[in-house]
Amino acid sequence: MMKIIRILLLSLLCGYTYAQNDEVTLDYVQENDSIVFQVKSAAIIPIDIVSKQVDSIFPKIVYKELVTVFPNDSIRGFIRVHINDFENLKQARKERKIYSIQAHYGDRRNARHDSTYLYSLPYQRGRKVEIEQTFFGKSSHKDIASRYAIDFGMRTGDRVYAAREGVVIYAVGHFTEGGKRKELTYKANKIVILHSDGTLAAYAHLMHKGTLVKKGDVVKRGQHIGYSGSTGYSGGPHLHFVVREPGDIAVPIYFEDYKGQVLKRGKRYKRKH
């Protein structure tokens, strides 16, 4: 006998996903006396699923620490639980976090960040923009996924340009709210672009309906791709820009005309080309 019950990725095990929630879903399937978990991906590039048991109360749970789900595919059996333990697991979940499940865009086995690449500043040629936050910013650029992010002081409706050529793997523009509220953390309009070296650039906090590209589009360096805004967890209009290796590891980047320079907070930089 096999029974399929669909749940959201975060609802049972209190996991966290860096890849977008609408790209990854988790089901569990009853097979005889076991519950078997399967993950499905709607992404157009591989997604790594990283599982970690953070409470050893259920030592009989069998799981794989890392599995890769290929584009528009699924994997079954990366977590397997006896049905009796599963009922106990659901009860214990009300009191504590049992598992961490993270989903990361990209194929870490084949990605190698090209540290020599010089990016184009993501705004109009000839314009100067002030840096509101830079590498290891005190406000929010502290964790491994954002420590090399840069916040450009752009107004709502300012044009955003691709800093590097690549393929759009995710684009969302329907969110309307912004502010310093935790429930808005994952409600930022954004564009994510895959580069030739396997890194991924995120352009975040775009305005409502501020994305001009869609998943699967090939974009050129310097192409107009959207409009800046203040959606999601944001203290005001700006463009949050970060480049990451698979595993959501932010990497340092440098810009044309400012080779080797870390852009400084409070300073204005002109895009010359």
Side-chain angles (χ1 to χ4, degrees), residues 12-64:
L12 178 66
L13 301 179
C14 195
Y16 175 85
T17 175
Y18 287 100
Q20 305 305 311
N21 290 348
D22 54 356
E23 297 266 272
V24 183
T25 56
L26 181 70
D27 302 328
Y28 58 89
V29 180
Q30 182 178 337
E31 293 181 343
N32 300 319
D33 62 353
S34 295
I35 298 294
V36 176
F37 286 78
Q38 63 181 19
V39 64
K40 295 183 178 180
S41 170
I44 62 173
I45 65 171
I47 287 182
D48 283 341
I49 306 297
V50 182
S51 304
K52 182 179 180 182
Q53 188 172 357
V54 297
D55 192 313
S56 60
I57 190 172
F58 297 102
K60 294 182 180 180
I61 296 177
V62 178
Y63 71 99
K64 295 180 181 179

Side-chain angles (χ1 to χ4, degrees), residues 113 119 135 144 148-149 199 242-245 249-253:
H113 171 227
Y119 290 75
F135 295 177
I144 195 171
Y148 292 113
T199 58
V242 62
V243 176
R244 300 182 177 115
E245 291 181 323
I249 302 170
V251 293
I253 56 171

Side-chain angles (χ1 to χ4, degrees), residues 135-151:
F135 295 177
F136 300 98
K138 294 181 180 180
S139 177
S140 60
H141 298 176
K142 299 176 182 179
D143 62 24
I144 195 171
S146 62
R147 60 190 178 186
Y148 292 113
I150 300 170
D151 288 347

Side-chain angles (χ1 to χ4, degrees), residues 202-213:
Y203 303 74
H205 304 299
L206 304 179
M207 66 179 288
H208 177 231
K209 296 184 179 179
T211 55
L212 300 180
V213 292

Side-chain angles (χ1 to χ4, degrees), residues 11-171:
S11 62
L12 178 66
L13 301 179
C14 195
Y16 175 85
T17 175
Y18 287 100
Q20 305 305 311
N21 290 348
D22 54 356
E23 297 266 272
V24 183
T25 56
L26 181 70
D27 302 328
Y28 58 89
V29 180
Q30 182 178 337
E31 293 181 343
N32 300 319
D33 62 353
S34 295
I35 298 294
V36 176
F37 286 78
Q38 63 181 19
V39 64
K40 295 183 178 180
S41 170
I44 62 173
I45 65 171
I47 287 182
D48 283 341
I49 306 297
V50 182
S51 304
K52 182 179 180 182
Q53 188 172 357
V54 297
D55 192 313
S56 60
I57 190 172
F58 297 102
K60 294 182 180 180
I61 296 177
V62 178
Y63 71 99
K64 295 180 181 179
E65 292 186 353
L66 174 65
V67 295
T68 300
V69 189
F70 290 96
N72 296 302
D73 202 356
S74 64
I75 286 182
R76 177 183 294 179
F78 73 102
I79 297 177
R80 184 178 293 271
V81 189
H82 191 276
I83 194 167
N84 294 334
D85 288 330
F86 182 68
E87 294 302 318
N88 293 333
L89 175 66
K90 288 195 292 184
Q91 184 62 34
R93 167 63 185 85
K94 298 176 182 179
E95 302 176 2
R96 61 174 69 87
K97 180 178 176 182
I98 306 300
Y99 264 84
S100 167
I101 299 178
Q102 297 180 341
H104 302 285
Y105 281 125
D107 184 352
R108 68 184 67 191
R109 294 162 299 187
N110 297 313
R112 294 291 182 274
H113 171 227
D114 180 3
S115 60
T116 66
Y117 187 92
L118 295 179
Y119 290 75
S120 173
L121 288 165
Y123 42 86
Q124 287 174 292
R125 184 181 294 118
R127 185 181 172 191
K128 284 186 176 181
V129 168
E130 183 176 334
I131 304 302
E132 293 186 348
Q133 197 174 183
T134 186
F135 295 177
F136 300 98
K138 294 181 180 180
S139 177
S140 60
H141 298 176
K142 299 176 182 179
D143 62 24
I144 195 171
S146 62
R147 60 190 178 186
Y148 292 113
I150 300 170
D151 288 347
F152 294 95
M154 298 169 66
R155 301 162 299 189
T156 297
D158 283 351
R159 291 188 170 201
V160 174
Y161 294 82
R164 183 175 179 177
E165 64 282 352
V167 179
V168 177
I169 66 163
Y170 185 82

